[in-house]
Amino acid sequence: MTTLPLEPATVSSVSAPRTWLRRIHSGGQIVETCPDWCTDTHRNDGSGYLDDLQHGAAFDGLELAVFDAEHGTVPMPVLAARINVDPYSSDSRRSTPHVHLEPFQDEVMECLTPDEFAAVIAQVRAHCDRMDEIHAQLVKARAEYR
C-alpha cells in the first residue's frame, strides 16, 4: 500500500494507484484506492463518513482582468473545471466521473456528463467565433473613425 503524498500530485507523477487505510466514522475501516487520474491529496480523508470522499482533478480557469468598483481591475478566473467522482454517493450522476464547471467565480454547473460538457464547449466555441466577428467590426470601426 502506498502512502498519500504530502503535496498535490500531478497525473504524470502518479505511477501507481495511491491507497490508504481509511477509518469509517460509524466504525470499521476500508482500504481506499485513487483512480489513476485523481490528483487530490486526500490529506483530510483518513477518517469520516463514506459519502464524504471525492476523487478529483482540478483544472485552472483562464484569468481575465475584470473591473471591480472597490478594488479596480482584478483577475477573475473563468471556465475552471474539475473532474470529480463521489464513489459512495447514491446519486448516479455523482458516483460516475463527471465535470464541475465554474463558468465564473463561485458559480457552478454540477455533474456534467461528457455529452453535456461537450455541449457547453460547443456553445463557448460558437460564442468565441461571434467574438471574432465583433473584433473584426471593432477594427473596421476604429479605422473608419480616424
Side-chain angles (χ1 to χ4, degrees):
M1 180 174 359
T2 58
T3 58
L4 292 178
L6 296 178
E7 297 300 320
T10 60
V11 174
S12 61
S13 71
V14 178
S15 58
R18 296 176 297 147
T19 61
W20 73 99
L21 188 62
R22 184 166 179 235
R23 287 171 181 54
I24 307 305
H25 184 270
S26 60
Q29 55 192 22
I30 188 169
V31 174
E32 295 287 359
T33 302
C34 288
D36 290 343
W37 49 266
C38 178
T39 60
D40 289 347
T41 65
H42 296 290
R43 195 171 288 150
N44 297 318
D45 288 334
S47 63
Y49 296 96
L50 278 177
D51 60 0
D52 286 344
L53 181 69
Q54 292 184 350
H55 294 290
F59 301 90
D60 293 337
L62 168 69
E63 286 199 348
L64 297 177
V66 176
F67 175 75
D68 179 87
E70 189 174 317
H71 299 101
T73 302
V74 296
M76 176 72 66
V78 297
L79 299 176
R82 175 178 163 83
I83 297 175
N84 199 57
V85 67
D86 303 277
Y88 299 104
S89 176
S90 59
D91 182 345
S92 63
R93 295 176 336 127
R94 293 188 176 281
S95 63
T96 305
H98 55 276
V99 164
H100 288 325
L101 178 66
E102 258 190 75
F104 48 93
Q105 190 170 341
D106 300 328
E107 299 298 329
V108 180
M109 299 172 73
E110 290 189 316
C111 299
L112 297 176
T113 66
D115 289 344
E116 291 167 337
F117 189 42
V120 171
I121 293 167
Q123 286 178 304
V124 170
R125 186 170 285 125
H127 187 70
C128 287
D129 291 344
R130 177 68 176 131
M131 289 176 68
D132 281 339
E133 294 170 7
I134 296 167
H135 175 260
Q137 288 178 353
L138 173 62
V139 169
K140 182 179 176 188
R142 286 178 62 110
E144 291 173 356
Y145 187 76
R146 293 186 186 158

